[in-house]
Amino acid sequence: MICKNCGGEVVFQNGVGMCSSCGAQIKFDGAFENTEVYICYTENDSAGRRVKDSMIANEIYNKLENAKIETFYERASSGNLAGDALEITRYQAIYNAKVIIMLGTTPDYFNQLFEKNSKYFEGKAVLPVCVDMSPAQLPQQLAKYQAANYNSVGADADLIKTVLKALGREEEITLGEVMTKAQRQKKRLITAVIIAVVVLILGVGAFFAVNHYLNSDDRSLEKNYNSAITLVEQEKYLEAAKKFSSILDYKDSEKQFKKIYDRYDGYYLNDGQACALYLNIIDGKTAEFSFEKTIDNKIVKITDSMVLENNEFSGTYVDNLSNEGNIIIVLSDNKIKVDIDTTVIVGEISIGDINVEFQVENKTDRPTTKTVTREILLDWMTNPTYVDDIKAAGYELEYIDYSSPYDTPYGKNYKITNTDITIIATNQDLTKNNGENFYDLLTLDGDIVVAVVAPMSVAYPEKVGQSACVFAENEIVYVPNGSYLFYSGSDGQLYLNFPVPVFSPNNNSTVSATMNELVVSADSMVGITSKKLVGEYNYNSIVDENNEIYYRTLVLEQYYKDNPNINEKSYIFIEILLDQDDALLVCVHEVTSANNIIGETNGSYNYYKVDLTTQKVSFIIKQDDAPYYNSYGSLQYSYDGWKTIPEITEKFGIETEKTDKETSSTEIAIDPETYFVGCHYDVDGVNYLDITGSGEEYSVTISIGNIYCSDIYAAYGEEVAVLEFEHISDNGSAFSGTIRRKGANIILKITESDINDLPIDSEYKFLL
């Protein structure tokens, strides 16, 4: 709920609502202060259809109210409230309730209810009520509560007793039981007295006549029961249901009654009139249904729930396109007839006036879901398609909330019901994105499809069993083992990534899982998008970034094969150092601790060549005692010494560079501005060395501990690639020294000094 004063979030706790930003309080009207029981349940499924849970919750609500227990059941108790008013009403009711009933038909529904309402459990009696599932199937977080199986005989009466006991009203349980027992005893006594009187007056013959009269009810019940069973055998189901309904307490009549109406539950299709029907009858009394008709490849759909009267459901409707009208659903023994009269037409299409029949024998237990083919996926990738277009084509979509820190309001994920296919959509025009103008992108009228994630067997079956490398065809890019992430970078650049998890430091199990994803299986998921949907910039980024991830993973696999006994404390980092048309140079940097002193040589560089044509990875050389450094709090390595290693350069056909020791003073080949110039901090980010200038003269600023000196003159001396400096302060103190590069560091060495804080021969390391 949003605060109307400042727009902040309103938090409900301790009986009041308070804005977390401005502190404004929400006043309650006290309308639900007498609430004793709050029923938590699921009202609708992902398609918006009322579910069985709601029907059972309504039944429990009525029985609790009849027992004079003040109960909150949202569908009946909150009227037509919506938005903030409904949220306030819910909170008042659950805050004041002493008992919370959690009703569910699936473990998933119980999980959702727990996440939503568990914050209100403290100090209350929580009673999970299981329908069509065993209490043993409850989620772990609810295992500590005593659950009820509502499918068991007498469950409703037991539930009322449990609630009364939790409310401290045990005397009502005892009183009710005593009254019931007394009534039974009184009935027996009256019967005995009548029999005695009749015997005295009429004699033994009359006694048998009276006894016959008293047992005639039982014979009548048995006769009706047998008659109903016969009608079922004759397939006169609705006649049988009527007879069973009059004797529900006799034998298994109630079960037989429900069984008759259960046979109508399911999904129906009438191809001739392009119509489909879903029907779910609850206890032979109420039903939820959906009716849809396909018109010009678009779906017009009615979804509602109604009460059954004389085997007929009737009422008014508003469909998914806001058309209005009347609908009647009539049950007969072997078919279902639907009559629709449309009275208000809003758009270009509507169901209109229609009479259609569905045969009960043709029903199925699963929805008649449209098939998603490779051709359909390609159509979505080559022609701008909105989410509403997909819904109109007959596909049911379920919104997926990943609750990821990378999620943005611009990206949405939808799962196509009864498939493994996910659609990624946004209301932004990504085709104009160049990596700099994300917040200036055009906002569209609706959510447009920008990518899909589908099984490889559907998207590109010919690739099953091949390499999981990213590939493109006709400006459509396929990313095997793609994930569902869709997010905006902190720099405003929009990314559409399907990253393969490479590895986690010190977690070999993650590495092993990754290795299995280097070859595509039929069930492997593949992320698909196109240049036409996301623009050239995003398209190229996806190809480049995900290819890099794949090749890092490929090399990592080979590294683990070459080094099966890696130290379990090792940290491993992978970098692509050289990218040629037909080959990559990849370095695996292994260090054994995250706390090593910067610049210490206790790691190793392992160089590999990847043949981009064959995907073959071959080991080149290992370099021990490799330095590494810490950048922005994470371990990384920066080392270009590979250019001086002939075993590497020869494989890639490039010239081998000389080391500093091999380079004479007459052939120095360094660019001073890229070699030294810049501000360089130590590993702690506290001390720094700032070098500016060009050519032969440089200005140095040193900040080490309590020492701060600026405008220090420096120049190249006799030694190759070494700056020499000398400084005399205003108070006459002086020091001098050298600056040189060593691996990933710049080393400052003091050669002469009369300052205690800068002793002679002391060295200070700064990150390059």
Side-chain angles (χ1 to χ4, degrees), residues 426-438:
T426 179
N427 64 349
Q428 305 285 296
D429 181 4
L430 306 188
T431 61
K432 303 296 190 295
N433 183 32
N434 59 15
E436 299 176 357
N437 64 337
F438 172 70

Side-chain angles (χ1 to χ4, degrees), residues 543-553 574-576:
V543 174
D544 295 342
E545 292 171 12
N546 288 285
N547 261 329
E548 181 175 328
I549 290 170
Y550 170 76
Y551 287 118
R552 285 173 182 239
T553 309
I574 305 176
E575 189 68 35
I576 297 176

Side-chain angles (χ1 to χ4, degrees), residues 341-481:
D341 172 26
T342 301
T343 57
V344 178
I345 300 177
V346 177
E348 297 179 357
I349 61 174
S350 72
I351 292 176
D353 299 338
I354 187 173
N355 299 314
V356 60
E357 292 183 351
F358 301 93
Q359 299 299 317
V360 175
E361 64 181 1
N362 294 332
K363 75 168 184 176
T364 64
D365 294 328
R366 294 183 59 80
T368 52
T369 304
K370 291 187 64 176
T371 303
V372 182
T373 64
R374 179 182 180 183
E375 289 69 28
I376 291 173
L377 294 179
L378 291 176
D379 182 66
W380 292 347
M381 292 299 100
T382 52
N383 298 297
T385 305
Y386 286 83
V387 170
D388 287 343
D389 294 331
I390 294 177
K391 291 180 179 178
Y395 297 99
E396 287 192 6
L397 302 182
E398 177 183 351
Y399 175 70
I400 304 173
D401 181 8
Y402 286 107
S403 300
S404 165
Y406 302 108
D407 283 349
T408 75
Y410 309 105
K412 297 178 181 177
N413 296 278
Y414 299 91
K415 187 176 185 294
I416 300 179
T417 304
N418 299 314
T419 74
D420 294 322
I421 298 173
T422 298
I423 293 171
I424 300 173
T426 179
N427 64 349
Q428 305 285 296
D429 181 4
L430 306 188
T431 61
K432 303 296 190 295
N433 183 32
N434 59 15
E436 299 176 357
N437 64 337
F438 172 70
Y439 295 105
D440 298 327
L441 295 180
L442 175 66
T443 300
L444 304 172
D445 293 334
D447 292 332
I448 193 170
V449 177
V450 290
V452 297
V453 179
M456 187 63 83
S457 58
V458 176
Y460 210 122
E462 296 88 342
K463 289 287 183 177
V464 172
Q466 298 185 22
S467 162
C469 181
V470 176
F471 63 96
E473 201 173 83
N474 299 323
E475 297 189 336
I476 298 175
V477 61
Y478 299 81
V479 185
N481 299 315

